[in-house]
Amino acid sequence: QVQLQQWGAGLLKPSETLSLTCDVYGASFNGYYWSWIRQPPGKGLEWIGEVNHIGSTNYNPSLKSRVTMSVHTSRNQISLNLSSVTAADTAVYYCARHYSAYGMGWLNYFDYWGQGTLVTVSS
Amino acid sequence: DIQMTQSPSSLSASVGDRVTITCRASQSISTSLNWYQQKTGKAPKLLIYAASSLQSGVPSRFSGSGSGTDFALTISSLRPEDFATYYCQQSYSTPPLFGPGTTVDVK
């Protein structure tokens, strides 16, 4: 059974750096991209970016200048850093597995998700 | 970026109703469209991938259809556990954008 367990600081001040970590259990870590997705209170879902087991990354252009994602393969762990946070970064942050395969065309979807971490930015 | 819209933004329904939610992409995305269900305080759950393929473990009352720019999620007979918010998501290009969501609540 694949489980993603995430953790990190939940309260930040403006201009600080958000840091979250996601531990992956019960699944092969290699061969997948692992994504971060966020959801402001009462709003929709926004993809932040993703990282794979060799550290290759793809970021949402809207956040690219402030985002860093890294991987610790030996621990089956991924991390998210988001710098210079403001109140607009207040959200529930999720890690998720990006499944990608070629069948009758490419299949891409998020099939396993972490429990979510509420990060609040407030002075 | 490919933009996604959903309609309606919310709907009220009763147990046993047939419910259909639509999703439209701003350009053709073939069948690169996924549907998720999210309950309050929980992570989204994958229901349908590639427009019409049912994710393992998801009840058969959920079905998806469409291709190109217009898609639909149908719940054939609504059950109490189906009251939730539903999101479509395009997987045709990066960034993978989600629709704004459709909330299904009790009539």
Side-chain angles (χ1 to χ4, degrees), chain B residues 11 13-22 35-39 47-48 54 58-65 72-87 102-105:
Chain B
L11 67 89
S14 300
V15 171
D17 284 354
R18 181 181 182 89
V19 169
T20 298
I21 298 166
T22 62
W35 289 97
Y36 301 83
Q37 175 194 65
Q38 187 179 34
K39 297 182 180 179
L47 299 177
I48 302 285
L54 194 67
V58 174
S60 59
R61 64 182 180 273
F62 291 93
S63 64
S65 62
L73 172 70
T74 298
I75 310 172
S76 61
S77 180
L78 198 67
R79 291 182 60 88
E81 60 267 34
D82 300 336
F83 293 104
T85 299
Y86 295 84
Y87 294 94
T102 296
T103 299
V104 178
D105 61 21

Side-chain angles (χ1 to χ4, degrees), chain A residues 40-104:
Chain A
K43 296 189 177 180
L45 298 157
E46 179 183 32
W47 180 79
I48 302 169
E50 62 187 4
V51 61
N52 70 2
H53 66 286
I54 59 170
S56 295
T57 56
N58 297 299
Y59 297 145
N60 191 322
S62 67
L63 296 166
K64 187 173 183 176
S65 63
R66 298 193 291 129
V67 172
T68 304
M69 294 183 185
S70 58
V71 60
H72 303 277
T73 306
S74 62
R75 291 181 247 165
N76 278 19
Q77 188 179 81
I78 62 169
S79 296
L80 166 69
N81 279 1
L82 180 66
S83 64
S84 305
V85 297
T86 69
D89 295 310
T90 293
V92 175
Y93 287 74
Y94 296 99
C95 55
R97 188 176 80 168
H98 173 187
Y99 179 90
S100 183
Y102 191 83
M104 300 276 287

Side-chain angles (χ1 to χ4, degrees), chain A residues 1-4 23-29 34 76 97 112:
Chain A
Q1 177 72 0
V2 179
Q3 290 187 23
L4 282 64
D23 294 324
V24 178
Y25 300 97
S28 172
F29 193 69
W34 302 88
N76 278 19
R97 188 176 80 168
Y112 292 99

Side-chain angles (χ1 to χ4, degrees), chain A residues 8-32:
Chain A
L11 181 61
L12 297 173
K13 289 181 168 42
S15 80
E16 292 185 334
T17 295
L18 177 157
S19 293
L20 296 174
T21 300
C22 177
D23 294 324
V24 178
Y25 300 97
S28 172
F29 193 69
N30 298 350
Y32 296 98

